[in-house]
Amino acid sequence: MQHMNSEAQHDFDRRSFLQATAGTALLASGNSLFVSSLAAAENAQQADAASKLIVHTRISRNAEPQLDALVESWMTPVDQFYIRSHAPNPEIDRGSFRLQVVGQVERRLDLSLDDLKSGFTNVSAIATMTCAGNRRSEHSAVKPIKGVQWREGAIGNARWGGVRLSEVLKKAGLRDSAKHIWFDGLDKVDYRGGTIPFGSSIPIEKALADSKEMPGALLTTHMNEKPLTPDHGAPLRLVVPGYIGARSVKWLGRIVVSDRPSPNHYVATAYKLVEEGTKLEWAEGGPLYRYPLNSVICTPATGGKLKAGKATVTGYALPPGQAETTIARVGVSTNGGQTWTRANLTSAARQFCWQLWKAEVPVTPQTTDLMVKATDSRGHTQPATVNWNLKGYMFNAPHRVKVDVGG
Ligand SMILES: Nc1nc2c(c(=O)[nH]1)N[C@H]1C(S)=C(S)[C@@H](COP(=O)(O)O)O[C@H]1N2
Ligand SMILES: [Mo]
């Protein structure tokens, strides 16, 4: 029970404890709690009554919104934003909190939340966050994959408020040897019998890639104009526009300026594309940084009943995490990709942000499924298939939903 530290976490765990003990096995082993995998699977099927999200796991929180709710607005409300955490939320005292900046710098920094707020320019930017494991369940359908079985909701678009990473790095003074910036969280992830912080790193070029409206990376205290919630990394998290969510470290405690990528497990071994997981493959594979071009049908849902005639289809499309790239067009097919109906893009087109779309397509009793495919402003289109990989990352083949059309 040692994880029940912060009050919010305590309430949450107490609630899940009560739910878990109500009908399913709960095993206390050593100092951790394990809900039986059967119970976890059952839980994953149900929407949590207290939140609007579909909960995959409770002790480390992993949850995603229902797709119809997700595309109700271009800016994702915090209570509809997916949560992906590898460990329970850490307890952090705002008053004594200090962000450390160390490594290949002229001077080390030790910054309180007030120092960050008053010592640097306050900026905000809208950017989409998505997990490299979004749509993992479609990889799993080919061959089962361990881990959270994300559907298509591990994505959200928010306004992130804070200070530019580059400004903080400039204050510390980068030495010539500086090539990569490491980020360590204050959480404790179980790893090989001990614990490690969740960590990431990004190339220095990305850290310094500020444009007028978009920082290369942002040290954020706010999400959609409100202080970050514990689930999303309070009091301070990194946000790296265009990169997989795993690079945007929550509960950020330490920045290390280095001449190489971070040795943290989540850079050195996880978040790579490997097939068998041999030592050689892990060593050869490069860390994933940018997320890929993607699109998803959010309504109707799989199994949806439609009337023959015109059907309205809605969803999201995500340009790849490359600067100055947006969605050029989205097509919906009702005949397995032989012909495509062009969708209307119904929200703003901006780099590093998803776009919502809506299409009217003809359906007949012979229509069995709907399919979507996006093309970006550089002329790239989603691949027809994606190679299966051991961790189930980066699934971005055209999304299909099965539908049932009545006469
Ligand atoms: N410290 C820490 N940061 C983290 C994680 C984590 O488990 N611990 N998960 C990462 C992953 S894999 C993703 S996809 C995003 C999810 O951010 P969100 O929970 O705010 O949606 O946070 C990233 N940052
Ligand atoms: Mo993720």
Side-chain angles (χ1 to χ4, degrees):
M1 299 266 187
Q2 70 167 15
H3 292 324
M4 294 184 185
N5 32 26
S6 82
E7 237 162 70
Q9 186 68 32
H10 179 88
D11 282 356
F12 181 81
D13 281 350
R14 194 171 159 273
R15 189 154 30 85
S16 46
F17 179 88
L18 294 175
Q19 281 169 357
T21 47
T24 50
L26 183 87
L27 310 168
S29 143
N31 54 12
S32 312
L33 284 174
F34 295 104
V35 177
S36 77
S37 59
L38 185 77
E42 272 173 21
N43 286 340
Q45 299 303 314
Q46 325 169 337
D48 186 8
S51 84
K52 299 174 182 169
L53 303 178
I54 303 163
V55 176
H56 290 291
T57 67
R58 290 167 193 280
I59 309 282
S60 303
R61 299 193 73 175
N62 287 291
E64 66 183 298
Q66 304 279 358
L67 292 181
D68 54 350
L70 178 62
V71 289
E72 268 173 27
S73 63
W74 184 66
M75 295 289 291
T76 311
V78 173
D79 64 3
Q80 293 288 355
F81 209 98
Y82 81 100
I83 301 166
R84 200 288 174 255
S85 298
H86 292 71
N89 296 352
E91 188 187 346
I92 301 169
D93 175 60
R94 299 181 61 89
S96 56
F97 173 86
R98 295 289 180 279
L99 172 69
Q100 294 183 319
V101 184
V102 299
Q104 304 295 305
V105 291
E106 300 301 338
R107 55 203 96 68
R108 292 167 154 245
L109 303 179
D110 221 20
L111 302 167
S112 68
L113 292 167
D114 278 349
D115 294 337
L116 277 166
K117 196 173 174 203
S118 55
F120 303 91
T121 319
N122 287 268
V123 298
S124 73
I126 302 172
T128 294
M129 175 92 55
T130 188
C131 184
N134 193 31
R135 301 183 65 188
R136 174 175 290 148
S137 52
E138 289 163 83
H139 273 310
S140 279
V142 177
K143 197 164 107 182
I145 292 169
K146 285 185 219 149
V148 181
Q149 295 305 304
W150 297 110
R151 304 176 192 181
E152 303 87 349
I155 184 168
N157 189 52
R159 178 178 287 281
W160 307 97
V163 303
R164 290 186 192 92
L165 172 64
S166 63
E167 223 182 295
V168 172
L169 294 177
K170 269 168 210 153
K171 173 131 195 211
L174 293 170
R175 298 215 189 122
D176 287 347
S177 50
K179 297 280 185 292
H180 292 266
I181 316 293
W182 307 355
F183 305 92
D184 289 338
L186 294 166
D187 49 350
K188 295 190 170 78
V189 189
D190 289 336
Y191 185 71
R192 297 195 176 155
T195 62
I196 56 168
F198 185 90
S200 87
S201 69
I202 64 174
I204 190 137
E205 289 79 1
K206 178 67 174 174
L208 303 181
D210 298 336
S211 65
K212 215 169 108 204
E213 76 288 8
M214 187 64 70
L218 200 57
L219 300 174
T220 64
T221 51
H222 285 70
M223 184 177 179
N224 294 348
E225 327 280 351
K226 295 207 190 73
L228 283 171
T229 61
D231 285 334
H232 295 291
L236 186 70
R237 94 173 288 175
L238 179 72
V239 170
V240 188
Y243 279 12
I244 59 168
R247 301 305 172 223
S248 294
V249 170
K250 304 195 277 192
W251 313 295
L252 180 63
R254 194 167 74 129
I255 296 177
V256 182
V257 177
S258 176
D259 61 353
R260 66 196 71 175
S262 171
N264 183 279
H265 169 67
Y266 296 98
V267 178
T269 30
Y271 295 105
K272 293 182 177 183
L273 297 179
V274 302
E275 214 175 307
E276 289 162 47
T278 61
K279 274 190 168 175
L280 181 62
E281 268 190 304
W282 286 122
E284 286 173 345
L288 298 174
Y289 291 114
R290 291 180 199 161
Y291 49 68
L293 172 67
N294 217 331
S295 62
V296 161
I297 294 170
C298 295
T299 70
T302 276
K305 303 224 182 312
L306 302 177
K307 279 208 183 102
K310 287 263 177 194
T312 302
V313 187
T314 72
Y316 67 78
L318 181 68
Q322 183 175 14
E324 317 276 312
T325 312
T326 53
I327 295 294
R329 58 181 187 277
V330 171
V332 176
S333 177
T334 58
N335 53 18
Q338 289 169 55
T339 56
W340 298 88
T341 302
R342 197 159 171 170
N344 287 317
L345 302 175
T346 55
S347 66
R350 298 207 201 178
Q351 62 176 351
F352 306 129
C353 290
W354 73 359
Q355 226 173 332
L356 302 183
W357 55 264
K358 182 177 188 172
E360 303 287 337
V361 297
V363 294
T364 71
Q366 281 73 49
T367 309
T368 57
D369 55 58
L370 308 173
M371 217 171 140
V372 66
K373 189 170 79 173
T375 301
D376 71 24
S377 56
R378 294 174 192 269
H380 299 299
T381 296
Q382 290 172 246
T385 58
V386 176
N387 287 338
W388 185 90
N389 65 85
L390 189 67
K391 304 282 274 180
Y393 296 139
M394 313 290 253
F395 195 94
N396 73 332
H399 184 235
R400 278 176 189 255
V401 302
K402 293 240 166 290
V403 291
D404 183 4
V405 185

